[in-house]
Amino acid sequence: ANEDPKLYSFRIVKKYRHDSKAFTQGLLWLNGSLYESLGLYGRSGVREVALSDEGGYKVVREAKQPYREFGEGLAYIRGELVQLLWQPPELRRWSVQAGETGHLEPKADANRQNPALPDLRQGWGLTADDKVVYATDSGSELFELDPDTFAAQRRTPIRDRDQIVEMVNELEVVEGEIWGNVFGQDCLARIDPSSGKVLGWIDLSNLMNRGKAAANARAKGLEPPDVLNGIAYDPNTKRLFVTGKLWPRLYEIEVIPHPHPDLQRIRRLCIPTRNLFRA
């Protein structure tokens, strides 16, 4: 059926500090810790973060990456952390155990364990459920990858009815759906992984006061906040976390029905008019 997507807004449950220098590309909740994949050449890496009840953000441990690697999506697959790189789209695997006595280490047999992904033009979003790995590559398709070989088994266009949705970025499996950031838009898409259909839009406009945050960053000599990016979900407590690249805050939010459900306005807000990464 071709029903229109449902429209949602948000309520902030809690604000946490976030590293204003962290170019967040992947976000993941695992065993009581938050894991973050960071991008940019020379600044990429994977870190474990402990969130405190008082709203604190503490880096427990961090693995930095070589200058030539640009970190992107992050997922927990078959007992290890798997990070996607931007270009060329390759994988990096990490042995991980959460907590103060844990570890975060690249897999020893790295050359054999880090396949390239020839089906993807670029590495963007990455997430997984028990059986399938999902990825995006800057275009309008959701890729299903084999969790052992990472070969593309299926490519599904992401659509809001007849409109293609380009540049779906960071991904998260949430209760059987795929939730994704859309590059440059203050929205999350709720996607049916089997059909690519957009089931709903979550309008995150005004989650952060961008003008105030940019002024604060300038006053501290920091780069201003970049785009909304990063979704982490804790299925045990049903908590949902979102942040952005170089954002000073990470938010726990509750998704609620949209108080002003104007579908055309939300589509203009959420669906990019052109792909900035493809000619």
Side-chain angles (χ1 to χ4, degrees), residues 72-84:
E72 285 281 347
L74 190 69
Y76 187 65
I77 301 166
R78 303 267 166 107
E80 58 193 17
L81 274 186
V82 179
Q83 179 199 35
L84 187 55

Side-chain angles (χ1 to χ4, degrees), residues 106-172:
K107 299 290 280 191
D109 48 353
N111 291 332
R112 187 176 66 81
Q113 291 270 13
N114 293 334
L117 302 178
D119 298 300
L120 273 62
R121 284 203 197 182
Q122 300 177 355
W124 274 46
L126 191 73
T127 191
D129 58 22
D130 294 337
K131 297 174 183 170
V132 181
V133 177
Y134 300 94
T136 53
D137 76 340
S138 82
S140 60
E141 292 179 308
L142 183 67
F143 290 78
E144 291 185 18
L145 310 178
D146 181 281
D148 292 315
T149 66
F150 292 93
Q153 298 176 310
R154 192 162 170 256
R155 305 161 68 137
T156 307
I158 301 168
R159 294 177 180 272
D160 176 345
R161 294 199 69 147
D162 297 330
Q163 281 185 274
I164 287 286
V165 181
E166 305 264 12
M167 301 187 295
V168 174
N169 200 359
E170 216 270 321
L171 303 173
E172 183 79 4

Side-chain angles (χ1 to χ4, degrees), residues 40-55:
L40 298 178
Y41 292 114
R43 287 165 59 176
S44 289
V46 176
R47 61 172 53 164
E48 178 187 350
V49 173
L51 299 179
S52 72
D53 291 340
E54 298 77 39

